[in-house]
Each structure stands twice: as structure tokens, then as C-alpha cells.
Amino acid sequence: KVIEHPFEKGVAAGVSATVPTEIFGLSGFHTLRAAYSDARGVDLDEIGPIRPLAGASVVTKKGYWFGSYAIQQNLFQSETNPAVGWGLFGLAARSDGNPTPVKWNMLVGLAGNNLLDGRENDRWGVGFFHYGVTEPLLAGLNALGFARRGEGGVEGFYNFAITPWLRLSADLQIIDPWNPSKQRETVSALRLQTKF
């Protein structure tokens, strides 16, 4: 279908830069990203103790921005293949928090290849993550009787290369949900992947 009204909902633009690094002969990189959109979204400052009546207009806010910094740095790597290794990874991101519901988030952990002989194609990782929900949204929901908070947790996985084209992954997550009335949740999963 031909686009009839281009840019009607807004325009977004982004830029990123990645800088490779080498520390003590170990490879890594740093990435900076920034984005802006002039699209409209629900104005979170307007959420209050009175629920809007059916059919009432929703107050919106135009424009939002986002920025992030990511790092990946090997702590160990194969002497014969520098692309095979494991190390530290991290991501920190921030937005204006209105109309975007998440003001900031972060994740940090260790991940990479298994460096044991014959298992270099296996991948593993363990990390911590947290999402900081914007304060206007939390305050508005609290005024409506819905207590909420940021959400975070830890996750670990192991990806076992049965063959070069067949992989089995096990994943475990422990999550503190954004609803404080709910208990901490544990989620596990197995996944079989084939490559053609």
C-alpha cells in the first residue's frame, strides 16, 4: 500500500558512534547513541486521581529524547581467535521520562564463549537489569490506587552448541515485578534452535 500521509505521526532521528578499544591486548568497544522524536504521546504529568470519563480527550505531549552508553570489554579471549572470548558488558540509558514511561534503565553482566577445548561455540551469560519507571507515571498510578515501582532482576543462560547448526539454550530469570503486591518471580525456559 502506498504511504498516503508520510510523517503524519511524527519524525524520529537518531545517531550512534562505536569506538573499538584494546586493553592489554583484549578487544572491546564503546557505543554512544542519541535519538529524538517529535511524535505525540500521553502526557504523564496529567495522570491524576480522577479517572477520565469515557470519550474524554487525552492530554498529550509532543516530543521525547533518548540517550544510551554501551560497553563490551573482553576479560579473556582465545589466543588463536580474538573473536572468541568472554568479558564484561553494560548498558545505561536515559530518556526524558515523559511521554516515555521508562526514564532510565541499566544492565550489566558477564557473557561470552566457553573457552574449554571443543566448547568454544557454546555461549553463556549472567547479568543484572533494572528499569526505572518515570516518576510522573508512578505518582499518577499511585493517585489512582495502583502502587507501582521500578522493575529489576537477574538472568543467566547457557547456549549449548550440539552441532554447528543445532543449539539448546537454558535460561533462568529472577524478577522483582513492578507491582509490589506480587512476589518475586522465577522464570525458566528451554529453547532448541536450528540454523539452515
Side-chain angles (χ1 to χ4, degrees), residues 114-120:
N114 185 338
L115 298 184
L116 294 176
D117 288 339
R119 300 284 4 127
E120 293 88 350

Side-chain angles (χ1 to χ4, degrees), residues 149 175-177 179-186:
R149 63 183 180 191
I175 304 168
D176 280 327
N179 185 345
S181 66
K182 291 190 175 182
Q183 295 182 349
R184 180 175 293 164
E185 297 182 15
T186 301

